[in-house]
Amino acid sequence: ERAVMLVLDPTCEDVSDDVRAEAATYTNAILSDPSSWRACLGLFLETSQPLVRFFCLQAVEGTFSSGVYAALEADARAEVRNALLQWTISSAEAGVLGTEGAFVRNKLALVLVLA
């Protein structure tokens, strides 16, 4: 979560350029690893940071576009769909979904359509 915040929000902490570069390398590795969807899905469900949610949705979307999603077992694909739908429903009922940034809601809508 911290690495994502360092990369996506340059004002979040006063750290060296080397630390930011290391965080960028780490997050790029996650985005390029099609098997990272499960960890990113878990982080999406746990975090309260909109930028981290967006990043996690990007990683899940990358799984779809890489073809890995289609090769997953039906149970794993259902896990992704159900987790995202349940979070959406729970957030909407709690009134939280409307407070998410438009960038998160748009990415969520895209991922739900692809799922």
Side-chain angles (χ1 to χ4, degrees), residues 43-95:
L43 182 57
F44 172 83
L45 298 172
E46 294 173 10
T47 189
S48 62
Q49 298 292 328
L51 288 173
V52 175
R53 282 198 183 113
F54 180 79
F55 174 83
C56 292
L57 290 170
Q58 278 185 303
V60 173
E61 179 188 5
T63 300
F64 298 155
S65 62
S66 71
V68 170
Y69 184 74
L72 291 176
E73 302 254 343
D75 289 348
R77 291 193 310 269
E79 176 185 346
V80 173
R81 279 191 308 275
N82 291 340
L84 292 173
L85 285 172
Q86 184 58 45
W87 182 87
T88 303
I89 291 166
S90 297
S91 296
E93 288 174 346

Side-chain angles (χ1 to χ4, degrees), residues 29-42 59-60 62-64 66-69 72 80:
I30 290 171
L31 289 175
S32 64
D33 180 1
S35 66
S36 66
W37 68 268
R38 192 175 301 257
C40 288
L41 181 62
V60 173
T63 300
F64 298 155
S66 71
V68 170
Y69 184 74
L72 291 176
V80 173

Side-chain angles (χ1 to χ4, degrees), residues 7 16-26 28:
V7 171
S16 71
D17 290 341
D18 289 342
V19 172
R20 286 198 193 280
E22 188 176 324
T25 300
Y26 177 73
N28 286 335

Side-chain angles (χ1 to χ4, degrees), residues 1-3 5-6 9-16 19-20:
E1 189 169 315
R2 181 173 182 243
M5 292 301 295
L6 287 173
D9 184 4
T11 65
C12 77
E13 285 185 45
D14 186 23
V15 296
S16 71
V19 172
R20 286 198 193 280

